[in-house]
Amino acid sequence: IVDDSVFNELNKQSLVKSEVLSINIENTLDSEELSEELINYANDNNIYSSIYYNDFMGHSKTQGVLLFSAFFAGIVFLITTGCVIYFKMITEAENDKEKYDILRKIGFREIVIKKAIRKQVFIMFMLPLLIGTVHALFALSTFSQLLTTNFKIPIFINIVSYSAIYFIYYLLTVNYYNKICVKSKYSRVIQ
């Protein structure tokens, strides 16, 4: 937008002129039909057009694919990590049977031993979950700033679902660890 005198001066020069038509509407997300009509008109008249609705929908689809890919990769890594920790803890349980039998021999009750097992397994599962959650929060906050999109709800859903899966692994591991260490053939002989 310039003064009329400046426009008239520029108009005398042999510059390439173009017209810009801007249409502001309310409820832009409900403008699919209007967008299609404008695109058809622009294509029929060889006019360049940029439609908010189409840009927004394309952006949303791209974000959806990225979020799904990230969620899927996260689930695969989570399951893999959970399995690795689970099998590591089961291997340790086989090696720790005698240690827990010694604790039982010197007078520790089964409740105290089970509490120690729960704490040991808790640390092994929650430390990677905590570090992974902090890393994901920083990475996703940077990613959301890059895309200028708010990812608070997907982040919350992922953290809750990942925590639930880790908690299930934790319970399975504690249960199996107790079967091996507390209810082993050695503990029955001692009692």
Side-chain angles (χ1 to χ4, degrees), residues 74-133:
I75 288 290
V76 168
F77 286 123
L78 175 78
I79 290 171
T80 304
T81 304
C83 286
V84 167
I85 295 171
Y86 176 79
F87 288 117
K88 180 187 181 320
M89 294 304 295
I90 298 308
T91 304
E92 282 185 19
E94 291 292 335
N95 297 333
D96 289 347
K97 271 194 267 191
E98 291 82 21
K99 294 175 187 174
Y100 286 108
D101 285 336
I102 291 171
L103 288 176
R104 196 177 295 99
K105 285 178 184 178
I106 62 174
F108 282 93
R109 294 182 302 163
E110 190 173 297
I111 295 171
V112 175
I113 293 172
K114 284 183 176 181
K115 186 176 180 182
I117 290 171
R118 282 193 307 270
K119 285 182 179 179
Q120 177 183 353
V121 173
F122 182 81
I123 290 170
M124 290 301 292
F125 273 97
M126 293 308 132
L127 194 59
L129 179 65
L130 182 65
I131 291 170
T133 301

Side-chain angles (χ1 to χ4, degrees), residues 10-173:
L10 290 172
N11 201 18
K12 292 178 184 175
Q13 298 175 12
S14 60
L15 299 173
V16 177
K17 299 173 192 167
S18 61
E19 294 180 27
V20 176
L21 173 63
S22 176
I23 301 172
N24 293 327
I25 60 170
E26 293 181 19
N27 301 326
T28 54
L29 296 179
D30 296 332
S31 64
E32 182 177 9
E33 290 178 31
L34 176 63
S35 297
E36 288 176 13
E37 289 179 25
L38 289 172
I39 288 172
N40 290 335
Y41 178 80
N43 290 339
D44 292 343
N45 294 302
N46 201 19
I47 300 172
Y48 170 77
S49 64
S50 176
I51 311 284
Y52 173 80
Y53 178 82
N54 294 347
D55 294 343
F56 178 79
M57 294 309 277
H59 186 68
S60 295
K61 288 177 184 176
T62 302
Q63 283 182 345
V65 169
L66 287 173
L67 282 175
F68 175 77
S69 300
F71 183 74
F72 183 75
I75 288 290
V76 168
F77 286 123
L78 175 78
I79 290 171
T80 304
T81 304
C83 286
V84 167
I85 295 171
Y86 176 79
F87 288 117
K88 180 187 181 320
M89 294 304 295
I90 298 308
T91 304
E92 282 185 19
E94 291 292 335
N95 297 333
D96 289 347
K97 271 194 267 191
E98 291 82 21
K99 294 175 187 174
Y100 286 108
D101 285 336
I102 291 171
L103 288 176
R104 196 177 295 99
K105 285 178 184 178
I106 62 174
F108 282 93
R109 294 182 302 163
E110 190 173 297
I111 295 171
V112 175
I113 293 172
K114 284 183 176 181
K115 186 176 180 182
I117 290 171
R118 282 193 307 270
K119 285 182 179 179
Q120 177 183 353
V121 173
F122 182 81
I123 290 170
M124 290 301 292
F125 273 97
M126 293 308 132
L127 194 59
L129 179 65
L130 182 65
I131 291 170
T133 301
V134 169
H135 176 268
L137 287 174
F138 282 112
L140 287 174
S141 67
T142 303
F143 191 61
S144 67
Q145 288 174 357
L146 194 67
L147 293 177
T148 62
T149 305
N150 189 356
F151 285 133
K152 287 181 184 174
I153 293 173
I155 290 171
F156 178 75
I157 291 170
N158 282 337
I159 289 173
V160 169
S161 62
Y162 289 177
S163 299
I165 292 171
Y166 254 62
F167 186 70
I168 291 169
Y169 272 119
Y170 166 76
L171 292 177
L172 291 172
T173 306

